[in-house]
Amino acid sequence: MADRPGGVARMIRDEALIPLATPSDEAWLREQASVITDPGELLAGLGLSRAELPEALRAAADFPLRVPRGYAARMRAGDPCDPLLRQVLASGEELREVPGYRADPLAEADHTPVPGILHKYHGRVLLVVTGACAVHCRYCFRRHFPYQSHLPTAARLDEALAWLAARDDIEEVILSGGDPLSLTDRKLGQLLARLAALPHLKRLRVHSRLPVVIDSRITPALVDLLGDPRWQSVLVLHANHAQELTPALRDGVRALQAAGVMVLNQAVLLRGVNDTLAAQEALSLALFAHGVLPYYLHQLDQVAGAAHFAVPDAEALALHAALRARLPGYLLPALVRELPGDCSKTPLAALHHETPGTLSHLQASPD
Ligand SMILES: *Cc1c(COP(=O)(O)O)cnc(C)c1O
Ligand code: SF4
């Protein structure tokens, strides 16, 4: 998700008032504080031509470039089509207006009972805990999200927690953002202690790309927080390409698993990044080698500025069928699209077939 310019820096400054917990905390915080924000620096570091730089600068004015240095180090020097570079380098293609691509493609504003809460699906809610991310992904569907009116000020967090306290039909809280793991372990701990006091919450889920782009993020303190036996915990990572995964990430995932945390991955299907059978197969196999199971493969949300990443549904379905013929079932992610107004993610195959009749006698009473 997109943070306001300077969002991360502001947060680090706040945190500097508090003594940092462990040396390993400092390592990822230092990486988060020293991200590359200048497209020229990124291109020069990879030995690439600056011919596209003026366009990149214009696109980055709207949604700033932000790339952790360790992530940039995993890009192939001299390759303008590197799949990691393509995810983060601002490009002139973003400035094109394409019909159907909007600022709020999921109409999330319609599902916000109080600021910071997104409630669309039965029994679970998203809690937006920060607008900041360590990386800015150019295809991000929240790149135009009005974080300013959702950011968790103390008063807004009180309001969100009061809403949650009154909804005992909610069993799962999903920390989202921005990237919730851009918060320090200390701040996360404070938030989780308040959530833990609500007895109807059973499952804790965290949606984060941070351990993928800064592989020292899974600290011992974070393992303790997510491994707390109070919770049935799930960490859903966001990696799109095998080249993003590192041995340090694997070590972090192993520590989480030893503490009883389930670790899954969601990816976005992206033109020029992972839209081949070879790339998808390599991603699933590499995820498993790092202790992670593929969960979702998302069709791109139609957010303004991201149309050049779109893969047509027919091609996505063919790719998914080919993948099914290559992999064990447990390494096949569900290919889905999020539709505003649906009560779950929608399997792409179902969108292109007859809709089944409703089993009215089996339906639970509506929320
Ligand atoms: C994607 C999403 C969820 C989680 O859906 P799952 O299918 O359980 O992974 C929950 N709430 C909102 C608003 C979402 O967009
Ligand atoms: S990390 Fe997630 S929320 Fe943040 S910019 Fe990337 S896709 Fe968006």
Side-chain angles (χ1 to χ4, degrees):
M1 61 156 60
D3 72 286
R4 303 266 84 65
V8 171
R10 205 163 43 237
M11 203 161 356
I12 300 282
R13 256 197 322 275
D14 291 349
E15 285 299 327
L17 303 173
I18 296 140
L20 296 170
T22 67
S24 53
D25 266 355
E26 288 175 17
W28 80 264
L29 282 167
R30 270 197 307 273
E31 265 221 65
Q32 183 168 256
S34 69
V35 291
I36 301 170
T37 55
D38 172 8
E41 182 187 348
L42 182 61
L43 290 172
L46 293 167
L48 290 171
S49 142
R50 291 163 161 255
E52 315 280 318
L53 193 55
E55 292 261 276
L57 287 169
R58 275 212 301 143
D62 173 40
F63 180 48
L65 180 117
R66 180 179 291 277
V67 190
R69 286 168 199 279
Y71 186 76
R74 282 170 244 159
M75 298 172 186
R76 282 187 304 263
D79 181 1
C81 300
D82 178 86
L84 279 54
L85 178 67
R86 185 164 163 84
Q87 293 179 63
V88 297
L89 181 63
S91 108
E93 289 175 285
E94 295 172 30
L95 304 169
R96 241 182 339 125
E97 275 191 40
V98 179
Y101 285 74
R102 298 177 301 276
D104 178 15
L106 301 177
E108 289 192 324
D110 300 345
H111 299 277
T112 301
V114 294
I117 296 260
L118 275 174
H119 182 215
K120 288 167 77 171
Y121 303 156
H122 178 77
R124 52 218 198 276
V125 294
L126 286 190
L127 179 62
V128 176
V129 298
T130 172
C133 290
V135 66
H136 282 177
C137 313
R138 305 316 298 180
Y139 54 85
C140 182
F141 75 101
R142 297 233 171 100
R143 56 182 291 165
H144 309 286
F145 190 78
Y147 283 112
Q148 230 50 295
S149 52
H150 285 262
L151 279 185
T153 60
R156 285 202 186 115
L157 192 60
D158 287 349
E159 198 188 347
L161 284 160
W163 184 89
L164 270 173
R167 288 294 300 253
D168 58 11
D169 58 317
I170 307 283
E171 295 199 332
E172 174 167 351
V173 62
I174 304 171
L175 304 189
S176 178
D179 196 315
L181 294 189
S182 66
L183 297 184
T184 60
D185 295 330
R186 189 180 153 279
K187 284 209 165 149
L188 274 174
Q190 290 171 346
L191 174 66
L192 291 181
R194 294 184 71 183
L195 292 169
L198 306 181
H200 52 281
L201 295 179
K202 295 189 173 71
R203 298 186 301 279
L204 168 67
R205 188 185 332 180
V206 176
H207 280 177
S208 177
R209 183 148 163 76
L210 220 144
V212 174
V213 298
I214 299 181
D215 60 9
S216 54
R217 176 63 188 93
I218 302 174
T219 58
L222 181 65
V223 172
D224 285 347
L225 286 174
L226 300 185
D228 184 338
R230 158 69 180 81
W231 298 109
Q232 301 166 29
S233 297
V234 190
L235 172 63
V236 184
L237 296 173
H238 171 185
N240 297 314
H241 196 279
Q243 197 181 314
E244 294 179 313
L245 309 179
T246 68
L249 174 66
R250 187 199 55 217
D251 294 345
V253 169
R254 294 253 161 91
L256 286 169
Q257 287 172 329
V261 180
M262 173 75 72
V263 186
L264 305 174
N265 185 67
Q266 50 187 342
V268 182
L269 182 58
L270 298 167
R271 175 67 88 213
V273 173
N274 60 10
D275 57 337
T276 63
L277 178 59
Q280 285 297 329
E281 187 179 0
L283 175 60
S284 276
L285 293 171
L287 285 168
F288 193 59
H290 288 73
V292 183
L293 283 177
Y295 176 40
Y296 279 140
L297 177 60
H298 293 273
Q299 264 297 46
L300 186 77
D301 296 313
Q302 297 193 320
V303 65
H308 55 293
F309 285 111
V311 176
D313 280 2
E315 191 180 330
L317 285 164
L319 176 60
H320 194 246
L323 196 59
R324 175 180 283 120
R326 299 282 302 178
L327 289 171
Y330 59 89
L331 293 187
L332 186 73
L335 176 63
V336 294
R337 179 184 284 294
E338 187 160 348
L339 297 173
D342 266 21
C343 59
S344 71
K345 312 285 185 235
T346 305
L348 203 63
L351 264 178
H352 294 269
H353 291 114
E354 294 282 296
T355 35
T358 51
L359 302 170
S360 50
H361 62 293
L362 290 180
Q363 259 169 2
S365 53
D367 298 341

